[in-house]
């Protein structure tokens, strides 16, 4: 059986790597990004796991949605997992993808065996002042005009502003970001804010009783790295700080990031149930 492949499952684009009978590992990207953002860590993870990557609605190769409510996003991911079959999935969310992952565990605990959050801001007051290039792209009235005129170089500059140093940016990530509309991106940010305003992520995780791994760049320019310690309030949570790494550990430190995720998921291999191919 060819372990690699891609499929279009409405309303989300899906990529699946690794043996379909291996323990399932779901990767959820951050705001405006796509499954391509996980590219550098996929080969190492797919050696032992059935890796499932989604493009959330309005991002990458997935069509837009009427609403980008975090719970609605989680419900769409749950429908996908129901379709392809896995249970006790280790769910990994990067940045705001961690909110979707957390909401998925809140709404469908039967699907989620463990949660890993990578660069996921724990609460609103941990957000740092945003880089000038991101403010320019988002602020009306000129934001929508600049968004439509984005060049690949501008997109790379915007991604680079979230990093602590040089890193290879997957070409597919740049191409997918070009497909993300201004309306979708603003909608995602608005709904993420609403989700955090209701309750912090550590508060949500504390009542779920799931194994939790938190990976945070010690030089994250988007979220205060010190705020990662707020996850210590989650019983049994493991917090890993990556020195010299910014907001995108999977690009900046793919090997240690993949190792942390792989080792976190592996102890539950015996309790995971793979779905049909």
């Amino acid at each position: 059986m060819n372990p690699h492949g891609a499929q279009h499952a409405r309303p989300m684009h899906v990529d699946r790597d690794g043996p379909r009978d291996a323990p399932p590992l779901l990767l959820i990207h951050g705001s405006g990004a796509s499954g391509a953002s996980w590219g550098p860590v996929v080969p190492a993870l797919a050696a032992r796991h059935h890796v499932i990557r989604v493009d959330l609605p309005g991002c990458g190769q997935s069509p837009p949605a009427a609403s980008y409510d975090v719970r609605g996003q989680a419900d769409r991911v749950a429908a996908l997992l129901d379709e392809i079959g896995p249970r006790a999935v280790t769910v990994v969310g990067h940045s705001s993808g961690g909110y979707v992952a957390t909401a998925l565990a809140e709404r469908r605990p039967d699907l989620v065996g463990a949660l890993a959050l990578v660069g996921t801001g724990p609460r609103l007051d941990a957000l740092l002042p945003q880089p000038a290039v991101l403010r320019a792209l988002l602020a009306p009235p000129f934001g929508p005009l600049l968004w439509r005129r984005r060049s690949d170089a501008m997109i790379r500059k915007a991604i680079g502003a979230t990093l602590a140093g040089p890193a290879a940016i997957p070409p597919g990530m740049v191409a997918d970001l070009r497909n993300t509309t201004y309306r979708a991106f603003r909608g995602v940010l608005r709904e993420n804010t609403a989700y955090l305003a209701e309750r912090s992520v550590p508060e949500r995780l504390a009542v779920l009783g799931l194994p939790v791994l938190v990976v945070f760049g010690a030089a994250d320019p988007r979220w205060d790295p010190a705020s990662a310690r707020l996850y210590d309030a989650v019983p049994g949570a493991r917090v890993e700080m990556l020195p010299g790494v910014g907001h995108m550990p999977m690009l900046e430190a793919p090997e240690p990031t993949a190792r942390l995720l792989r080792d976190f998921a592996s102890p539950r291999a015996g309790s995971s149930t793979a779905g049909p191919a």
Side-chain angles (χ1 to χ4, degrees):
M1 177 178 64
N2 183 353
H4 302 284
Q7 69 183 45
H8 283 81
R10 294 297 181 186
M12 292 186 297
H13 174 79
V14 184
D15 287 293
R16 299 167 69 182
D17 296 270
R20 299 294 170 86
D21 58 351
L25 187 62
L26 172 67
L27 305 179
I28 304 176
H29 62 80
S31 301
S34 70
S37 62
W38 294 102
V41 300
V42 167
L45 297 177
R48 298 185 188 176
H49 294 86
H50 173 197
V51 179
I52 305 163
R53 288 178 290 161
V54 297
D55 289 358
L56 293 173
C59 298
Q61 300 178 57
S62 290
S67 168
Y68 297 97
D69 173 73
V70 172
R71 294 176 183 82
Q73 300 275 49
D75 289 344
R76 294 181 185 103
V77 174
L80 167 70
L81 294 177
D82 283 337
E83 178 185 332
I84 63 179
R87 293 294 186 270
V89 180
T90 297
V91 182
V92 184
H94 171 246
S95 193
S96 66
Y99 309 145
V100 178
T102 300
L104 176 64
E106 289 176 317
R107 298 172 73 77
R108 291 292 305 275
D110 58 306
L111 294 176
V112 182
L115 280 174
L117 308 182
V118 180
T120 296
R123 63 189 192 194
L124 287 175
D125 62 2
L127 186 65
L128 297 173
Q130 299 305 286
V133 64
L134 296 180
R135 294 199 306 270
L137 282 169
L138 291 174
F142 299 112
L145 297 174
L146 283 175
W147 193 272
R148 288 195 294 269
R149 295 173 177 267
R150 290 171 302 157
S151 64
D152 286 359
M154 186 179 293
I155 291 173
R156 289 180 178 276
K157 183 177 181 180
I159 297 171
T162 71
L163 310 179
I169 299 173
M173 184 179 178
V174 176
D176 283 348
L177 273 166
R178 290 188 65 81
N179 291 332
T180 301
T181 67
Y182 179 82
R183 176 189 171 277
F185 194 56
R186 286 300 299 260
V188 167
L189 294 181
R190 183 171 57 251
E191 295 298 343
N192 291 341
T193 298
Y195 185 74
L196 278 184
E198 288 178 357
R199 196 177 311 125
S200 74
V201 182
E203 288 177 296
R204 294 174 182 276
L205 295 176
V207 299
L208 294 180
L210 288 171
V212 173
L213 169 68
V214 174
V215 180
F216 227 90
D220 191 323
R222 281 184 60 78
W223 295 93
D224 181 3
S227 72
R229 303 318 313 184
L230 294 171
Y231 288 103
D232 288 335
V234 181
R238 174 183 169 193
V239 179
E240 293 284 349
M241 304 297 293
L242 297 178
V245 173
H247 188 57
M248 303 200 72
M250 61 281 212
L251 302 187
E252 300 172 78
E255 292 182 7
T257 301
R259 183 169 61 251
L260 286 169
L261 296 177
R262 187 178 63 230
D263 293 348
F264 174 68
S266 293
R268 276 161 296 282
S271 63
S272 297
T273 302

